[in-house]
Amino acid sequence: MIFRDALRSGKYIFFDGGMGTMLQAAGLETGTLPEEWNLTHPEEILKIHRAYVEAGSDVITANTFGANSAKFGERTSELISAGIRIARSSGARFVAQDIGPTGKMLKPLGDFEFDAAYELFKEQVIAGCEAGADLFIIETMTDLLEMKAAVLAVKENSDLPVIATLSYEKNCRTFLGAHAAAATVTLCGLGVDAVGVNCSLGPADLSDVVAEICRYSEVPVIVQANAGLPETVDGKCVYTLTPAEYAADLNAILSRCRAEEIDKVQIIGGCCGTNPDFIREIVRTVTAASGETLSDSFADLLSGGAYRGPHFWSDEPEEHLAAPEAMTSHAIVCSARELIDYNNKTAVVGERLNPTGKKKISAALRAQDFDLLLAEGIREYECGAQILDVNAGLPDIDEAGVLVRLITELQGACPLPLQIDTSDTAALEAAVRHYSGKPIINSVNGKEENMKAVLPIAAKYGAALICLTLDEGGIPDRAEDRIAIAEKIMKRAAEYGIPKKNLIIDGLVMTVSTNQKEARETLKTVGLARAKLGLHTCLGVSNISFGLPEREVLNSVFLAEAFTCGLNLPIIDPTKDRYMQTVHAHRVLSMEDEGSVDYIAYAQAHPTVAQAAPAASAPSQGSASGRLIGALGGDGAGSSSSAAPGGTKTVADIIISGNKAAIAEKTKELLDSMTALDIINNEFIPALDRVGELYEQGKIFLPQLMGAAETAKRGFDIIKAGLPSDTSSKHMQIVLATVKGDIHDIGKNIVKMLLENYGYEVIDLGKDVEPDLIIKTVKEHNIRLVGLSALMTTTVHNMEETIALLHESCPGCKIMVGGAVLTADLAQKIGADYYSKDAAGSAKIAAEVEAGL
């Protein structure tokens, strides 16, 4: 039986448990990479695999998690082949090649390129196929874009099944801010065979995460939790959850999913701290409680063809291939951080990032002035846009290169999903490929040549798709003929496996200045698309008034009429109050805005809308206008209501929004009336403190934290440039290192970037660093603060030894520690002066140490 047949059976599939903790128990030495044992200790690896098979594991995961050429060079293929060969000899029903993160940070947070990550994963995939793997599992990811690179490497270089799991916190986000719902939608669109969660937490703490994944998944769900959180026992970091407790917590998740009718968890296993005893108990208790199969409804969907395995990735359609039945009714577009479900709802698409008729945008694109372009996107977000249309279509630029760069920068600065707008097919695929989330493609039309070019891209990447109702004959005069084109596109889309819910019909707005009948036909097209085809709709609203005076009046009235016909996604300028008034009023009248909460919030923030609006409750954080206020804390700096009198934004507003162009102008303005120290102490420092508070409260996430720090750095640079060199404020130097034996440095690299953006000079010693090198560096540079990082439980002892040597050799130096396996209690036990659970905490510690010098 092949693995996809096992999925279609609707029966539970059991994976194995942890490998790292088993290897440690078998004697893996500190500093030795686990994959090395595939060659040096194959009998120990085989013993572990066989123990899992005997415990009831259907799938054995080869010991290949970190086997990539960045770590092993030319030996990578040999290590992967050996790992898969050993797993196969265990008698496993299925063998999965394990693929973990590259260990590098992708742009925009880091310097590693998406394409470089793809090449690393591609090498692993080819090696795994040659070695005879049955499937791939890509796991422990926290960056959705890196996960996408890995999934594409599998899909483009093999026809084997692929399972994708990320590591989430209790708030349903990875530590890089990717939301479980958005990641699930994106990965299902890419055609993974199963999606889910592994590592990070125990099963009890993952209940909300699993439920969220199940609500949005179109494929079976996998759960591989840790054996709880590690605790300190006799000075060692251990996992204390018992097999019985783990299985009971897991059964509670399954019961919850059945009760909520989202019973999609089909694949179950374990991660850090689990062992064959855990798998044995899971198999026993799950089958005893639920039988061998999932709920009948989900099993029927799987066997009935809702789950088809991989997408049909071809440039040629199959006429007999129907689009799969959807397991959810969500109509979604998303970034990694924010998801918009526009199923029978309104979502505003901001139109300003388009060079057509905009000299400033055109000039910025030609000059690659991304600060100005990002500022424009942030402005649209703050004014209520929920999706940003992004267009770089100028004849004299490298559209593909500029569009990819713009999308990358935007996703680092603004959480909104993007609508990729280009008629250049090469630029379109490049942009969609590098996009972290599920975008909208703008657009396809009814011309055969165009459908053949665009539909495969939408199918391959799982994108939503705007369908223009025109073909070789142009734009029909009658709505019925436009709908006929929509039906043609819908049929061809189904042949590529694109579901109806991913199609958005554009009835095409033409100016009434030349033909007044156009408006009625466009509105009729919207109504027919909704009533006859059951599809969602969009319109470029402002085209209606071209060539006429008082365009905003005409546009807003047309927008209101379009809403009554069933318009879902108006493409408008959200900075125009008149348009947003119409949007908010429509949401009240259509009952989208329950209790008129968003309307009242918008009116209060825009007094011209309602002269004396009564006091009301705070806006909901899910609202269009209230989202920014909610995300930034409402009562503090950064909300639209906290700007200075006259509508001028404060330094805090600008830093929190990540608007680098605006902070440059604001800093120059302040230097005309304030001293440099006053600006730093009274403006920048309080703003950064507020950013830290919002991050700790879970109201902003790592990309926003880094963006705010980079924005503040831009302002600091301007201040320093105007100071005499001998009076320029300089922060202390800080040494960072991942301790001896530990090769994981993502956390350290994030801390480095944040501290540098706060103005500290960081001496980065890298990973797997000997204590002697740390001590030598501290003495040479008279360092007063060292940051040590460790991810693996086996390297905590090395951290303790390094701390003891530092205290002995450099008594005036303070030490802060961090890493996934550490807690405040453990940090104290091993002698650290400070413990930081995240990058924001490290900045506070640095400030405290510097203040005490």
Side-chain angles (χ1 to χ4, degrees), residues 256-312:
R256 172 183 176 177
C257 291
R258 282 192 293 272
E260 296 182 18
E261 298 183 349
I262 50 173
D263 182 21
K264 300 177 186 177
V265 178
Q266 185 181 8
I267 309 171
I268 303 168
C271 202
C272 300
T274 63
N275 57 42
D277 291 337
F278 282 74
I279 302 304
R280 187 174 292 107
E281 186 66 15
I282 291 167
V283 173
R284 185 187 70 79
T285 59
V286 169
T287 53
S290 308
E292 293 186 355
T293 61
L294 285 74
S295 64
D296 291 341
S297 60
F298 186 62
D300 289 345
L301 271 173
L302 292 172
S303 61
Y307 168 74
R308 296 172 31 243
H311 277 321
F312 179 70

Side-chain angles (χ1 to χ4, degrees), residues 34 92 156 272 295 341 424 453 464 475 500 690 743 812:
E156 293 177 346
C272 300
S295 64
D341 186 349
D424 184 322
I475 303 173
K500 282 178 59 176
R690 181 61 178 149
I743 47 79

Side-chain angles (χ1 to χ4, degrees), residues 355-681:
T356 304
K358 300 183 182 72
K359 293 181 180 180
K360 284 180 62 178
I361 298 297
S362 297
L365 287 169
R366 289 190 177 95
Q368 297 195 35
D369 181 359
F370 292 101
D371 284 354
L372 186 148
L373 297 168
L374 297 186
E376 195 65 62
I378 291 168
R379 183 185 176 203
E380 290 191 271
Y381 168 55
E382 292 176 343
C383 289
Q386 294 159 282
I387 302 164
L388 298 183
D389 185 88
V390 183
N391 185 306
L394 291 173
D396 50 350
I397 67 172
D398 170 16
E399 184 176 354
V402 172
L403 190 57
V404 169
R405 172 81 186 279
L406 177 55
I407 284 171
T408 301
E409 296 287 344
L410 269 172
Q411 293 208 287
C414 179
L416 292 185
L418 302 181
Q419 179 169 290
I420 299 170
D421 186 357
T422 177
S423 58
D424 184 322
T425 306
L428 173 64
E429 178 152 21
V432 174
R433 186 178 185 83
H434 290 78
Y435 179 79
S436 182
K438 176 183 177 180
I440 299 175
I441 289 175
N442 187 9
S443 55
V444 70
N445 60 54
K447 297 178 181 179
E448 288 297 327
E449 182 180 1
N450 186 260
M451 288 190 288
K452 188 175 181 179
V454 176
L455 291 176
I457 298 173
K460 178 175 180 175
Y461 297 99
L465 182 60
I466 290 178
C467 307
L468 305 182
T469 52
L470 64 86
D471 60 11
E472 289 85 354
I475 303 173
D477 293 331
R478 299 172 62 248
E480 290 80 4
D481 295 329
R482 296 183 192 182
I483 289 298
I485 295 173
E487 289 179 301
K488 178 172 67 173
I489 297 172
M490 185 170 66
K491 179 181 177 182
R492 293 299 300 278
E495 292 169 2
Y496 284 95
I498 301 172
K500 282 178 59 176
K501 67 180 182 179
N502 277 1
L503 304 180
I504 304 163
I505 301 302
D506 188 337
L508 295 175
V509 178
M510 306 295 288
T511 179
V512 293
S513 65
T514 57
N515 187 348
Q516 286 183 263
K517 294 180 181 179
E518 288 287 354
R520 306 318 306 169
E521 294 303 316
T522 298
L523 294 173
K524 188 176 180 181
T525 302
V526 170
L528 288 172
R530 296 291 292 138
K532 182 179 179 181
L533 304 183
L535 298 178
H536 298 96
T537 60
C538 74
L539 290 176
V541 173
S542 61
N543 290 344
I544 198 71
S545 64
F546 186 78
L548 294 172
E550 299 295 340
R551 294 186 63 186
E552 287 186 28
V553 175
L554 194 57
N555 292 346
S556 62
V557 174
F558 178 71
L559 176 61
E561 291 199 28
F563 281 140
T564 66
C565 295
L567 176 64
N568 299 103
L569 294 120
I571 303 174
I572 59 176
D573 181 350
T575 68
K576 304 293 186 183
D577 281 345
R578 188 182 291 272
Y579 304 159
M580 294 309 296
Q581 292 166 15
T582 304
V583 169
H584 286 287
H586 164 70
R587 286 174 172 154
V588 171
L589 300 177
S590 64
M591 297 190 294
E592 282 184 48
D593 182 4
E594 187 175 350
S596 304
V597 173
D598 292 350
Y599 179 81
I600 295 170
Y602 182 82
Q604 290 176 328
H606 300 76
T608 57
V609 178
Q611 296 300 324
S617 58
S620 68
Q621 292 191 22
S623 70
S625 63
R627 185 178 58 249
L628 180 65
I629 299 173
L632 301 181
D635 57 345
S639 72
S640 57
S641 59
S642 67
T648 303
K649 288 196 169 186
T650 66
V651 167
D653 293 323
I654 297 168
I655 288 177
I656 293 172
S657 69
N659 193 333
K660 300 183 187 69
I663 199 64
E665 292 301 318
K666 185 67 175 180
T667 304
K668 292 173 184 176
E669 175 189 323
L670 291 174
L671 283 170
D672 290 336
S673 58
M674 298 174 66
T675 68
L677 285 178
D678 282 344
I679 295 172
I680 293 171
N681 292 329

Side-chain angles (χ1 to χ4, degrees), residues 647-819:
T648 303
K649 288 196 169 186
T650 66
V651 167
D653 293 323
I654 297 168
I655 288 177
I656 293 172
S657 69
N659 193 333
K660 300 183 187 69
I663 199 64
E665 292 301 318
K666 185 67 175 180
T667 304
K668 292 173 184 176
E669 175 189 323
L670 291 174
L671 283 170
D672 290 336
S673 58
M674 298 174 66
T675 68
L677 285 178
D678 282 344
I679 295 172
I680 293 171
N681 292 329
N682 299 330
E683 299 286 348
F684 281 78
I685 298 303
L688 289 171
D689 288 343
R690 181 61 178 149
V691 169
E693 291 170 5
L694 294 172
Y695 180 75
E696 289 179 355
Q697 294 166 7
K699 294 179 178 179
I700 63 172
F701 305 97
L702 187 61
Q704 293 155 290
L705 177 71
M706 298 301 298
E710 290 173 2
T711 303
K713 185 175 183 297
R714 182 68 60 85
F716 279 129
D717 289 344
I718 290 172
I719 292 172
K720 290 177 183 178
L723 291 174
S725 59
D726 59 344
T727 60
S728 177
S729 175
K730 294 182 180 179
H731 283 295
M732 66 179 180
Q733 291 180 311
I734 300 172
V735 165
L736 296 182
T738 301
V739 297
K740 180 183 177 182
D742 205 314
I743 47 79
H744 300 279
D745 63 354
I746 287 181
K748 172 186 67 66
N749 292 342
I750 293 171
V751 170
K752 175 187 175 183
M753 285 189 289
L754 186 66
L755 289 174
E756 287 179 338
N757 287 336
Y758 270 70
Y760 294 97
E761 183 180 345
V762 175
I763 301 174
D764 183 4
L765 298 180
K767 55 192 175 185
D768 191 17
V769 182
E770 294 283 349
D772 289 347
L773 177 58
I774 299 174
I775 291 169
K776 178 183 176 183
T777 306
V778 168
K779 289 182 176 180
E780 285 182 357
H781 296 272
N782 193 27
I783 299 297
R784 288 294 177 262
L785 178 63
V786 170
L788 300 177
S789 172
L791 183 67
M792 301 186 296
T793 56
T794 53
T795 54
V796 174
H797 179 66
N798 290 347
M799 179 179 279
E800 184 175 18
E801 289 186 351
T802 302
I803 291 170
L805 290 171
L806 273 169
H807 281 319
E808 179 182 345
S809 304
C810 311
C813 180
K814 299 294 184 182
I815 303 162
M816 64 176 175
V817 298

